[in-house]
Amino acid sequence: MQIIGVSNIKGGVGKTTTAVNLAFLAASAGRRTVLWDLDPQGAATYLLGGEANELASARKLVRGRRELQEILAPTQFENLTLLPADMSYRNFDVHMSAEKHPTRRLMMMARPLQDDCDLLLLDCPPGISLLSENVLRAADAIVVPMLPAPLSLRMLEQLLDFVAAEGWSDLAILPFFSMVDRRRSLHQQVIAEARSRFPSILESEVPYWSEIERMSVRRAPLPAFAPHSPAAQIYAALWKEIDTRLRR
């Protein structure tokens, strides 16, 4: 089972949109995919037509009193299953900190899924927390949507430094630019500077288009209801680039 986290310290950068579209594209390619909505706000759960599950207790999951298989929820899309969010997820850090090996709890929770899942995709809440460190430890790759802004480069540098300091040389950090408006000179400048400093940034760029925001109206992945649209093609290229990097 491969684990990919979609994460950024900042909110409002397109994490959930990215996670939902990538999960759908992976599932469409035949991979048994589970999307785990770790954000207590539950945006990914909503976009996939899911509902909160009363069994999704952060405390019971962390303590091993409940298995993730008990809260798996089917979606209308083939090969795509949802682990819905719950408001109790806001307390993940509290419950994890009370356990032995607190930075490995998410890895231990996810392990039983490996026989029935090819790809576990994590939609992560914003911020720096014990949960985010758990995600970094458990994941094979972290996809990082970034706004074309100077603070994004600072965030990326901090993330790369942290991963290097921990010695996680096998963790792939895959940043890309999201909500891009090429008409703005600042966006052009930041992207050019970033690509010169960080060669690992993916080539794909997701523009700031209202078409993408329609996902919240349709409650479905963009490639599901508009597969031939320019925006859907961009996400398809993004997934292909991520998949190629990981296979490499």
Side-chain angles (χ1 to χ4, degrees):
M1 178 177 71
Q2 197 168 51
I3 301 177
I4 299 177
V6 181
S7 180
N8 190 308
I9 294 171
K10 280 183 56 60
V13 298
K15 292 189 301 295
T16 296
T17 302
T18 300
V20 169
N21 285 326
L22 294 185
F24 174 81
L25 290 164
S28 298
R31 300 179 71 174
R32 298 171 301 170
T33 303
V34 174
L35 175 59
W36 190 359
D37 188 354
L38 289 169
D39 192 334
Q41 298 180 74
T45 300
Y46 178 82
L47 288 180
L48 287 175
E51 303 292 341
N53 188 326
E54 61 182 14
L55 298 178
S57 163
R59 179 174 60 85
K60 291 183 178 180
L61 286 170
V62 170
R63 294 184 178 181
R65 296 179 182 175
R66 183 153 289 150
E67 299 288 340
L68 289 179
Q69 290 93 327
E70 298 178 62
I71 60 174
L72 285 170
T75 71
Q76 61 180 305
F77 309 109
E78 187 176 3
N79 292 325
L80 179 54
T81 307
L82 175 67
L83 283 168
D86 185 79
M87 282 301 293
S88 68
Y89 285 7
R90 70 190 188 280
N91 295 321
F92 256 134
D93 283 10
V94 175
H95 300 307
M96 287 175 168
S97 64
E99 299 292 318
K100 293 181 179 179
H101 308 297
T103 60
R104 300 179 182 272
R105 300 310 300 178
L106 189 139
M107 187 186 304
M108 296 169 67
M109 286 187 281
R111 192 170 294 156
L113 294 174
Q114 59 189 0
D115 292 335
D116 303 305
C117 173
D118 300 317
L119 173 64
L120 175 60
L121 209 149
L122 310 172
D123 183 28
C124 304
I128 303 174
S129 64
L130 184 55
L131 175 60
S132 58
E133 186 172 348
N134 266 263
V135 170
L136 291 172
R137 282 190 176 273
D140 299 291
I142 301 295
V143 175
V144 187
M146 302 190 306
L147 300 181
L151 287 179
S152 292
L153 304 191
R154 183 172 183 270
M155 175 279 301
L156 179 59
E157 189 171 32
Q158 290 174 329
L159 175 61
L160 293 172
D161 287 346
F162 178 77
V163 170
E166 293 293 328
W168 297 333
S169 58
D170 58 343
L171 174 60
I173 304 297
L174 304 175
F176 74 96
F177 282 108
S178 177
M179 304 176 74
V180 175
D181 185 349
R182 280 282 183 175
R183 296 170 300 179
R184 300 178 62 178
S185 59
L186 178 61
H187 283 202
Q188 296 179 37
Q189 293 169 12
V190 169
I191 291 172
E193 178 188 349
R195 293 197 180 283
S196 66
R197 289 177 56 191
F198 305 105
S200 62
I201 293 177
L202 301 175
E203 291 298 322
S204 301
E205 297 176 4
V206 175
Y208 188 53
W209 284 348
S210 59
E211 179 183 359
I212 297 171
E213 297 176 345
R214 291 188 181 184
M215 288 176 59
S216 60
V217 178
R218 300 293 295 266
R219 295 189 70 179
L222 187 60
F225 66 84
H228 303 297
S229 66
Q233 295 303 309
I234 288 172
Y235 279 107
L238 176 64
W239 169 242
K240 182 178 180 180
E241 194 173 359
I242 291 169
D243 193 37
T244 299
R245 287 277 189 102
L246 294 179
R247 291 178 186 276
R248 188 184 304 164

